[in-house]
Amino acid sequence: MKFTQGMWRTREGIEFNWMGHAERVTTTDSEANILLTQPQRRRGDQLNKGTLTANIRSPLDGVTAVKLTHWDGADDPGPNFPLNEASPAVSIENKPAKSLIYSTGPLSLDVDTAPNSLSFTYNDITGPTARKLTSHSFRSLAYVSDANTSTYSASDELYAEKDNHILFALDLSVHEKIYGLGERFGPFVKNGQAIDIWNEDGGTSSELTYKNIPFYLSSRGYGVFVNHPGKIMLEVQSERTTRVNVAVQAESVEYMVVAGPTPKAILDRYTALTGRPGLPPAWSYGLWLTTSFTTSYDEATVTGFLDGFRQRDIPLSVFHFDSFWMKGFHWCDFEFDADLFPDPKAYLARLRERGIKVCVWINPYVGQASKLFREGKEKGYFVLRADTATRTVWQWDNWQAGMALVDFTNPAATEWYVGKLKGLMDLGVDAFKTDFGERIPFDARKIKYFDGSDPRRMHNFYSFLYNKAVYEGMQAHGKDACLFARSATTGGQRFPVHWGGDCESTYEAMAETLRGGLSLGLCGFGSWAHDIGGFEGLPDPGLYKRWVQFGLLGSHSRLHGSGSYRVPWIFEEKYPGEDEKCSKVLREAVRRKLSLMPYLLRVAAEAGEKGTPVMRAMLLEVPEDQNVWNVDTQYMLGDALLVAPVFDKDGWVRFYVPETEGNGLWRSWFDGKKTYSGGKWYEEQHAFDSLPLLVKPGAVVPVNYKLKDFEGDVLNGLELLVNGPLDSEKEVKIVEAKDVASVSKTLVVGKDLSVKGANGIMVKQLE
């Protein structure tokens, strides 16, 4: 939210209350408290002016939290992000009326407390001298009053109520770039953008997004997490060109600076605090196929799809039933439409016999036509209106007619909702697509939650409660918990998998989808997927094949559309011969991913340990190469494989090969003889049987070409692909499909390519 009109003027109705003086400092063994005021030059300056109190603490080693409070008269209604806090050792050095230095791990906060000289400076103190990361300089901390509101009435004179915001601005250095803030589909580098952290159902071609995460990562070696679940407004070098301005309409807000110095170290600390990414089961890495959204289907349709994949020898792991597995207007009653699926239990059993896992679409809404509506209303399981004399369920028609919203702040309502899912799991359902969760009302005058939560703070946080309920309900039922979730906020990484939402069927949308996934990965989300082929519209065969190549080189892969299916033979009528061609590309892509399972399971386990995503922005792996900080049309799949999807109908692709230690040669996955020097851009044209997929110099990639399914034994047939020569021994950790969270075996590959730790392992040097 922009409060100013350039450097000299403020917008009409805006009043700044800038903090410029540390009036009083108190400390304990672990915290510091500073009373901040406007500059104090005479006794009268203490009158008719508000203050901010800054409480400084450390919830985790290398993380400094500052809570800014204007008025403290209200109880905290919640919700609040659940955090994994500790009691790290801190150092506090207070020199009255001079300075306060608060240090935790590699991070220090230096506060100038001399009269009327207020500033905050965050430093990296790991080197021989402190290195500035960011700061609050002159006029960077304020509470802001806004008369541009429907509640403000000038006739109230002295008592006219304005909206209050807390504003804090963090300085940016020359060359500094900002990343993250959720799954954002616009420019990968966030400098110059105005961003609201506010979940909305806006598709992928707009500034709106389903997954808003109040965390950003800086190229200068730190991260910033705003510990507030409500709406947060950021001006990233877009109001003041030397700052990130952060505004929250609230009386208090806490932000945390997270030390690095590397992007991986920042994510490690951030996910240690907010939750490590959950680990999906091995079977979920296989190909998912859906009925698509508004298409017509029944048992015969689904069976025909499965037969078609079998006939074309395309491995399929999961079949997803989208919305119309339930009767229209009944979403959600969690019952298969009996007209289309007369005996769902028997049918799901037949799918299991084929080796197919089953996923079904759900959302947190209950339409009035559903028989569950009456039950939920009578038992008080829905969000209620706050502006009626009698108990009234909040309803609207903007999705399902007369729909209500399940109140997950009510433990009984959560148990009730999960109980309906238990019935589906008993039928044989293995996963749930937790769609929606963004269209959540937020006006406290109109709605109320069971536990009294602030509706504005619940708007984003609702997605956390929704996905948590389903995920933990699956775990309690003994299932390998796996979601296909669209909405998220901080902590949502605990409940994988998330997918990118409704994209168009264009090359441009494929590129924006990648940008969204890379941004989300920089917020600690380990697993991610997207609608292969695009959701809206029907891709042409070329785009379909390019998206298939891209989609099968990620953590999770799903074919999904809106009004048309994504089976490869859908193009045959209009494009004769494309059934065979599309099927070939898809078959090869699935088999390639299957062979990579030993590698992908290890990479995913790293995500669970350190918060580093499976699909990684280039800056995560090679931050020392300054050229990669702007690259957003390629990525690293784990630490060893560079992927550059083809976003051009004629097959042209331009990609950057980064410099690495030792300046070894990168090699093509498809042709090991083809090499690439680091520090250079390349432009190539690729047919549909390849794309730029490069192996990093010195990498050892475990593969298994004998695997027949994604839950197979990765050791039986394991091979190690080496892009040598090796300058030292290399450890290769093996994670097996039956236990995705543990390393079952550690192999050591010598410089002479000998292997310790297991017998019969074939080593192949790429050349």
Side-chain angles (χ1 to χ4, degrees):
M1 180 177 183
K2 291 184 174 70
F3 296 113
T4 59
Q5 292 178 306
M7 291 183 63
W8 319 123
R9 294 176 58 82
T10 60
R11 288 197 300 107
E12 189 72 26
I14 299 296
E15 180 184 357
F16 283 103
N17 297 271
W18 294 111
M19 302 297 105
H21 172 71
E23 174 69 18
R24 191 174 299 116
V25 178
T26 58
T27 63
T28 67
D29 289 342
S30 60
E31 297 187 5
N33 193 280
I34 310 176
L35 179 62
L36 306 178
T37 73
Q38 295 188 18
Q40 299 291 299
R41 296 183 174 88
R42 61 190 66 86
R43 280 294 180 95
D45 289 338
Q46 296 182 11
L47 304 177
N48 301 314
K49 303 292 183 182
T51 63
L52 286 179
T53 301
N55 180 260
I56 304 169
R57 66 189 186 94
S58 177
L60 208 65
D61 184 73
V63 180
T64 297
V66 177
K67 185 175 183 179
L68 302 168
T69 302
H70 176 223
W71 290 339
D72 198 21
D75 292 335
D76 182 0
N80 294 291
F81 293 126
L83 302 177
N84 303 315
E85 299 193 16
S87 300
V90 301
S91 171
I92 304 176
E93 181 182 350
N94 181 22
K95 296 179 180 179
K98 291 184 178 179
S99 65
L100 171 77
I101 301 178
Y102 187 98
S103 303
T104 169
L107 182 66
S108 78
L109 168 58
D110 298 3
V111 184
D112 188 342
T113 59
N116 301 326
S117 300
L118 180 68
S119 67
F120 287 49
T121 302
Y122 292 91
N123 294 309
D124 177 348
I125 55 175
T126 56
T129 58
R131 174 177 173 270
K132 176 184 170 182
L133 298 174
T134 187
S135 58
H136 297 308
S137 55
F138 178 67
R139 289 192 170 181
S140 290
L141 295 167
Y143 75 88
V144 184
S145 299
D146 184 0
N148 300 300
T149 169
S150 59
T151 60
Y152 177 80
S153 174
S155 63
D156 290 341
E157 298 179 334
L158 179 65
Y159 300 97
E161 292 192 11
K162 303 177 181 180
D163 282 348
N164 285 339
H165 297 76
I166 292 181
L167 169 69
F168 61 92
L170 288 160
D171 295 333
L172 293 173
S173 298
V174 177
H175 302 304
E176 185 173 357
K177 296 179 176 64
I178 300 300
Y179 305 86
L181 295 171
E183 184 188 47
R184 318 211 77 85
F185 305 103
F188 180 56
V189 178
K190 302 303 181 286
N191 300 54
Q193 298 182 47
I195 293 173
D196 288 348
I197 303 298
W198 190 248
N199 286 0
E200 295 194 62
D201 177 8
T204 69
S205 292
S206 78
E207 62 183 345
L208 308 180
T209 187
Y210 316 95
K211 307 172 192 65
N212 288 268
I213 314 299
F215 172 77
Y216 68 78
L217 185 150
S218 166
S219 62
R220 199 162 174 82
Y222 68 93
V224 174
F225 166 49
V226 185
N227 184 24
H228 182 82
K231 187 174 187 176
I232 301 165
M233 296 161 283
L234 297 99
E235 298 292 338
V236 187
Q237 215 175 17
S238 49
E239 181 174 17
R240 288 295 301 274
T241 58
T242 57
R243 294 177 176 174
V244 175
N245 283 1
V246 183
V248 179
Q249 185 181 343
E251 294 299 333
S252 69
V253 65
E254 182 176 64
Y255 75 92
M256 302 183 185
V257 174
V258 183
T262 65
K264 283 186 178 180
I266 297 167
L267 285 185
D268 187 9
R269 283 193 172 92
Y270 171 71
T271 56
L273 181 67
T274 61
R276 300 295 193 191
L279 294 179
W283 55 259
S284 70
Y285 290 81
L287 180 63
W288 296 48
L289 174 67
T290 85
T291 58
S292 294
F293 178 47
T294 59
T295 54
S296 298
Y297 66 89
D298 54 16
E299 283 191 19
T301 311
V302 175
T303 301
F305 288 161
L306 301 181
D307 289 342
F309 272 74
R310 178 176 290 177
Q311 291 163 7
R312 290 162 179 81
D313 195 24
I314 302 172
L316 186 65
S317 298
V318 185
F319 192 85
H320 168 70
F321 294 84
D322 219 61
S323 51
F324 282 97
W325 67 275
M326 295 177 282
K327 283 186 179 295
F329 297 103
H330 284 219
W331 304 341
C332 288
D333 62 6
F334 309 107
E335 293 185 1
F336 277 86
D337 185 338
D339 294 334
L340 305 177
F341 301 94
D343 189 352
K345 185 171 184 177
Y347 186 61
L348 296 190
R350 291 194 292 274
L351 295 183
R352 283 199 304 275
E353 291 173 0
R354 289 174 172 255
I356 300 293
K357 300 288 186 180
V358 172
C359 176
V360 296
W361 175 95
I362 60 173
N363 58 54
Y365 314 127
V366 177
Q368 187 167 282
S370 166
K371 68 180 183 182
L372 299 185
F373 181 85
R374 180 66 55 185
E375 182 181 344
K377 174 188 173 183
E378 291 175 353
K379 294 185 177 180
Y381 292 160
F382 299 138
V383 172
L384 299 177
R385 294 197 67 92
D387 56 355
T388 56
T390 58
R391 194 184 74 160
T392 305
V393 172
W394 177 86
Q395 292 179 267
W396 71 345
D397 293 331
N398 194 1
W399 181 236
Q400 287 288 278
M403 53 156 270
L405 179 66
V406 176
D407 187 348
F408 289 109
T409 73
N410 182 346
T414 301
E415 184 179 359
W416 172 73
Y417 186 88
V418 172
K420 305 304 178 184
L421 304 184
K422 180 180 180 296
L424 290 169
M425 289 185 277
D426 289 340
L427 279 181
V429 170
D430 301 286
F432 294 101
K433 174 181 172 180
T434 49
D435 205 354
F436 285 85
E438 310 91 5
R439 299 182 181 183
I440 307 301
F442 55 88
D443 190 339
R445 296 168 299 179
K446 296 180 180 178
I447 68 162
K448 61 183 177 181
Y449 284 90
F450 174 82
D451 71 347
S453 285
D454 178 351
R456 288 187 66 86
R457 294 168 69 97
M458 273 297 299
H459 174 81
N460 289 349
F461 193 75
Y462 187 92
S463 67
F464 180 90
L465 296 181
Y466 167 38
N467 287 302
K468 178 177 184 286
V470 179
Y471 192 83
E472 293 184 350
M474 296 187 73
Q475 289 178 320
H477 194 62
K479 286 281 187 182
D480 293 327
C482 184
L483 309 183
F484 223 81
R486 190 173 76 172
S487 59
T489 186
T490 295
Q493 66 269 15
R494 303 179 188 188
F495 318 120
V497 174
H498 292 80
W499 104 97
D502 300 346
C503 50
E504 297 173 327
S505 296
T506 65
Y507 286 101
E508 292 77 14
M510 184 164 63
E512 78 194 10
T513 293
L514 175 57
R515 293 195 298 270
L518 296 181
S519 289
L520 187 66
L522 291 177
C523 297
F525 283 69
S527 303
W528 175 77
H530 43 94
D531 292 342
I532 295 176
F535 178 74
E536 294 288 352
L538 179 65
D540 62 46
L543 175 60
Y544 179 84
K545 287 178 280 192
R546 294 303 185 193
W547 211 318
V548 160
Q549 289 180 322
F550 165 40
L552 270 299
L553 285 170
S555 71
H556 288 76
S557 311
R558 184 181 72 154
L559 295 164
H560 183 60
S562 177
S564 55
Y565 306 119
R566 291 293 177 264
V567 294
W569 54 90
I570 196 171
F571 306 103
E572 184 63 20
E573 182 176 348
K574 186 174 180 180
Y575 303 95
E578 283 297 340
D579 176 359
E580 180 180 349
K581 294 176 182 178
C582 290
S583 295
K584 181 177 183 292
V585 172
L586 181 57
R587 179 169 53 251
E588 291 175 351
V590 177
R591 288 179 175 173
R592 182 163 50 247
K593 186 176 185 183
L594 181 57
S595 71
L596 282 168
M597 274 303 282
Y599 175 71
L600 292 174
L601 289 173
R602 188 264 292 172
V603 170
E606 289 178 6
E609 293 171 359
K610 298 290 186 179
T612 308
V614 174
M615 288 180 62
R616 304 173 182 178
M618 299 297 296
L619 63 88
L620 277 175
E621 282 303 325
V622 281
E624 63 278 2
D625 186 338
Q626 291 299 308
N627 291 299
V628 305
W629 290 84
N630 290 317
V631 175
D632 61 6
T633 52
Q634 62 188 67
Y635 58 95
M636 294 294 294
L637 182 60
D639 58 351
L641 299 178
L642 185 157
V643 182
V646 179
F647 299 114
D648 177 77
K649 66 182 180 63
D650 296 319
W652 287 100
V653 55
R654 187 169 182 263
F655 58 99
Y656 177 74
V657 178
E659 293 181 334
T660 57
E661 187 176 351
N663 295 321
L665 297 175
W666 295 69
R667 290 184 183 271
S668 168
W669 174 273
F670 297 97
D671 178 6
K673 298 183 184 301
K674 190 170 186 179
T675 60
Y676 301 82
S677 298
K680 295 182 179 180
W681 285 91
Y682 294 84
E683 189 166 11
E684 297 177 345
Q685 188 177 29
H686 283 257
F688 291 111
D689 58 351
S690 69
L691 75 161
L693 175 59
L694 311 185
V695 183
K696 189 176 181 179
V700 180
V701 183
V703 297
N704 191 326
Y705 297 106
K706 293 183 179 179
L707 283 175
K708 299 300 182 184
D709 67 79
F710 284 82
E711 292 184 289
D713 180 0
V714 300
L715 279 170
N716 184 15
L718 182 71
E719 299 180 28
L720 303 178
L721 303 184
V722 179
N723 183 15
L726 301 181
D727 56 8
S728 63
E729 291 185 339
K730 297 285 186 179
E731 281 192 350
V732 179
K733 295 180 179 179
I734 302 300
V735 175
E736 299 189 62
K738 61 185 178 183
D739 185 3
V740 295
S742 301
V743 174
S744 65
K745 195 177 290 291
T746 299
L747 310 179
V748 178
V749 182
K751 295 171 66 175
D752 61 354
L753 302 189
S754 61
V755 180
K756 300 175 185 176
N759 296 321
I761 304 296
M762 181 182 296
V763 180
K764 178 183 178 183
Q765 179 145 342
L766 294 173
E767 55 185 13

